[in-house]
Amino acid sequence: MADVAAKAGVSRALVSIIFRGQPGASQETRERVLRVADEIGYRPDGAARLLARGRSRTLGVMFTVHQTFHTDLIEGIYPEAERLGYDVLLSGATKGRSESQAVEALLSHRCEAVILLGPDSEPAYLDELGRRTVAVSVSRRVPQAHVDFVHSAEGKGVRQAMEHLLELGHRRIVHIDGGRGPGSSERRRAYRAAMRRHGLESELRVIPGDHTEESGIEAGRLLLAERDQGHPLPTAVLAGNDRCAWGLLMALTRAGVDVPRDMSVVGYDDSHLAHLMPIGLTTVRQDAILMAEHAVRFAVERLENDALEPREAVLDPKLVVRGSSGPAPEASA
Amino acid sequence: MADVAAKAGVSRALVSIIFRGQPGASQETRERVLRVADEIGYRPDGAARLLARGRSRTLGVMFTVHQTFHTDLIEGIYPEAERLGYDVLLSGATKGRSESQAVEALLSHRCEAVILLGPDSEPAYLDELGRRTVAVSVSRRVPQAHVDFVHSAEGKGVRQAMEHLLELGHRRIVHIDGGRGPGSSERRRAYRAAMRRHGLESELRVIPGDHTEESGIEAGRLLLAERDQGHPLPTAVLAGNDRCAWGLLMALTRAGVDVPRDMSVVGYDDSHLAHLMPIGLTTVRQDAILMAEHAVRFAVERLENDALEPREAVLDPKLVVRGSSGPAPEASA
DNA sequence: GTACTCGTCTAGAGCGCTCTAGTAGAGCGC
DNA sequence: GCGCTCTACTAGAGCGCTCTAGACGAGTAC
């Protein structure tokens, strides 16, 4: 920078002004400085800039590498952050890399806030994190923690899905739950409530699972094994999320069970996966773009006004009916 | 830091030494300083450290958000980088965010090197990037550019796949190519060569595609439409990658075509997707972990010895036979 | 005793920027 | 000619660390 200033015959301060695109330099000087900088191959140093500025204007995003819905969310985070003048840094949690490691990496790179996509850490850790910095949790409710929270109204979503199945004449509706996955407990609760409300308490059944394809495959195997022992298949399954629904669909297709003729399957998320199934997946749409935008805005607003208390945004999910759901076999028989 | 030093009754320099875990402080003082720091809630500032140190020991990774093979690679990058004492920062390219934007973000956060997963930028840009900093390209060969290159021997992989299909009696083998996708031209060439070598020039056919599920679905539709007009289906398809194979499988299943009875499908990558198909996908395995490790090592080695010229690593791919390939219909008929 | 070394610790420069306060000079009204 | 404002620019402190050079005392060798 000093070299540029010297060669262009101006002060370092002016070079700084020009590189920040601030007013206070004549057009003429501006061009000259930029030209000289280009010749020398000068590019401003981020770390020094950060240090001097005191602010990084960078948001960190923690996500789980293989979670497809997260990549949908990330697609929404970038443009909104850019619009608000923030940079985005990603840090993935993987099998060998815990969420807290991923978060610490972001923090040590001076992210001013962290957006956590479906975090699975201890509430105590999240609370501490939320007090140390600005944190936003997407999908995962953390009751007592000092973090913003963006999610969709899981209950409403499940209710719509259940109404849909019930209208199609389904009674034996099983739920594969999402285990400790974000939103799972709410979905599970809503499923139970819906079954009870319709007097189907005796049919109520929750198969433990999680938010992966494997758990869908697993549940499929279980159901098929039961069928082979003479128990009837459920006529419909409400899966914990799209990936789980997908795994289930795979297992069923493999075994020659026709969806939706023999069984209806409903997912949750409407991730881009949902379009890519042999039959389109009927699923509850969470608007990833909208959720991402809310998360970014929460973070930025709280960054810009630290008196703000953490808030909660609840978005309305919407059932999307595609090919994987149809009339119940008994009803049509 | 000054506060910690004052409260612990030592100099700032000593606090620095202790926080870097360097020798030169007594056990006693060390404990006292750490305790005080903890009380105050002090954590070292990354930007300042970076600035003073001159090195960030951080690797940047540019990837494409929805590319599943990339997430497999990322899983391998983290542990290897950690082993070598480097941090990792991720930056995704999406529809609205170009590769160069993603890379610039990494650079401005002081990454010392960038690892590009299947980059699709202009060779000229990559070359310039490779001269400006240490760059490693994974999967995408960039002939003249000053970058390291890690890939698997596409030719060998395709050859294995073709031998496998030919042994099963297939003759009408179509290739859906990966368009401009990384490795595509090599795979296409190897497919053509294999067909010619076996005197199947007349059956040679390449359907243009890319590395997404959509292109597989698209190709499937095309083939099915042709069948409906009286043209026979190919007996086997070699897809550009797993995602494409998956899309094709979806389209076929939907239309009632039985894989592998009516048609065999072979993918490429052996991403974690491959296990999750109704029938396991026969595919060419690229060892993501190994590729990731090579990429990280290339970057680090060149960072630590800048006299090093860019190198190339070629890994051997390996055909994995699963359920999506079987004897050719004609052969069994 | 002197001359070493060794372990522990400190002073202070410097990393490459930003930002506040301020200067110099031009233009303008009266 | 005076004071005023406005534009274009500069000096220099400071961001929070690291790192070099060196101080200080205790131990060891002769």
Side-chain angles (χ1 to χ4, degrees), chain A:
Chain A
M1 182 172 184
D3 297 347
V4 175
K7 198 164 173 196
V10 296
S11 69
R12 287 161 44 254
L14 195 55
V15 176
S16 169
I17 286 175
I18 291 171
F19 267 86
R20 277 175 290 141
Q22 280 208 341
S26 67
Q27 192 55 36
E28 194 182 357
T29 324
R30 206 171 280 269
E31 277 163 17
R32 181 160 39 92
V33 168
L34 288 175
R35 187 159 34 75
V36 170
D38 198 46
E39 277 167 26
I40 296 190
Y42 163 81
R43 13 188 50 249
D45 179 310
R49 172 172 281 184
L50 229 61
L51 184 57
R53 189 139 51 184
R55 290 205 48 185
S56 68
R57 296 193 71 87
T58 300
L59 304 178
V61 175
M62 191 284 292
F63 70 111
T64 306
V65 181
H66 285 305
Q67 210 63 31
T68 51
F69 188 62
H70 290 184
T71 59
D72 291 345
L73 286 166
I74 290 170
E75 288 217 302
I77 288 176
Y78 277 126
E80 184 67 5
E82 194 179 340
R83 197 177 69 80
L84 298 173
Y86 280 75
D87 248 14
V88 173
L89 244 30
L90 262 36
S91 186
T94 66
K95 275 192 292 280
R97 191 168 188 258
S98 70
E99 292 191 356
S100 63
Q101 277 180 283
V103 167
E104 295 306 324
L106 291 173
L107 256 26
S108 80
H109 282 271
R110 272 239 174 171
C111 291
E112 297 181 37
V114 286
I115 297 178
L116 310 164
L117 305 187
D120 192 24
S121 308
E122 294 294 315
Y125 172 71
L126 295 176
D127 182 51
E128 188 217 314
L129 182 63
R131 291 176 193 284
R132 212 166 87 194
T133 182
V134 170
V136 183
S137 167
V138 177
S139 290
R140 163 83 61 186
R141 157 169 275 130
V142 198
Q144 305 297 342
H146 195 259
V147 300
D148 291 279
F149 178 40
V150 177
H151 65 132
S152 65
E154 314 285 355
K156 279 195 195 170
V158 168
R159 225 168 295 141
Q160 289 177 53
M162 291 300 287
E163 296 300 336
H164 169 64
L165 290 173
L166 289 160
E167 268 169 32
L168 287 169
H170 294 277
R171 292 289 171 269
R172 206 157 58 252
I173 307 173
V174 166
H175 178 46
I176 308 173
D177 81 353
R180 310 180 13 77
S184 302
S185 58
E186 290 87 348
R187 292 176 203 171
R188 192 165 46 229
R189 201 173 313 131
Y191 158 78
R192 286 214 175 97
M195 289 298 272
R196 289 213 190 87
R197 209 170 36 244
H198 289 83
L200 297 172
E201 223 153 341
S202 58
E203 299 288 356
L204 193 154
R205 178 171 181 201
V206 177
I207 300 180
D210 59 40
H211 285 169
T212 67
E213 291 85 357
E214 282 81 358
S215 84
I217 293 176
E218 201 68 23
R221 284 213 194 100
L222 175 66
L223 292 174
L224 290 164
E226 289 178 358
R227 179 194 59 178
D228 296 342
Q229 290 172 8
H231 300 281
L233 281 176
T235 70
V237 173
L238 177 66
N241 73 347
D242 286 353
R243 291 178 69 193
C244 173
W246 187 35
L248 175 65
L249 231 47
M250 301 294 100
L252 295 175
T253 310
R254 200 168 203 160
V257 175
D258 186 297
V259 174
R261 199 194 58 207
D262 304 332
M263 195 194 292
S264 289
V265 174
V266 177
Y268 206 105
D269 281 351
D270 199 26
S271 63
H272 64 282
L273 270 181
H275 304 274
L276 301 172
M277 313 234 173
I279 44 174
L281 181 70
T282 295
T283 186
V284 178
R285 175 172 180 72
Q286 303 199 65
D287 192 327
I289 303 295
L290 219 55
M291 289 176 79
E293 287 173 358
H294 267 90
V296 171
R297 246 172 287 157
F298 273 0
V300 170
E301 282 168 17
R302 213 133 68 75
L303 241 26
E304 259 139 48
N305 174 5
D306 57 2
L308 244 44
E309 279 300 295
R311 287 165 300 167
E312 176 173 344
V314 189
L315 302 178
D316 271 344
K318 191 167 178 330
L319 182 73
V320 181
V321 178
R322 297 204 184 85
S324 69
S325 57
E330 286 107 331
S332 60

Side-chain angles (χ1 to χ4, degrees), chain A residues 42-56 58 87 108-110, chain B residues 45-58 105-111:
Chain A
Y42 163 81
R43 13 188 50 249
D45 179 310
R49 172 172 281 184
L50 229 61
L51 184 57
R53 189 139 51 184
R55 290 205 48 185
S56 68
T58 300
D87 248 14
S108 80
H109 282 271
R110 272 239 174 171
Chain B
D45 178 309
R49 171 172 282 183
L50 229 61
L51 185 58
R53 187 139 53 183
R55 289 203 51 183
S56 68
R57 297 192 72 86
T58 300
L106 292 173
L107 256 27
S108 80
H109 281 271
R110 273 242 174 168
C111 291

Side-chain angles (χ1 to χ4, degrees), chain B residues 187-218:
Chain B
R187 292 175 202 170
R188 193 163 46 227
R189 201 174 311 131
Y191 159 78
R192 286 212 176 100
M195 289 298 273
R196 289 212 189 88
R197 210 170 33 245
H198 289 83
L200 297 172
E201 223 154 341
S202 60
E203 299 288 357
L204 193 155
R205 178 172 180 199
V206 177
I207 300 179
D210 58 37
H211 284 169
T212 67
E213 291 85 358
E214 282 83 358
S215 84
I217 294 176
E218 201 67 24

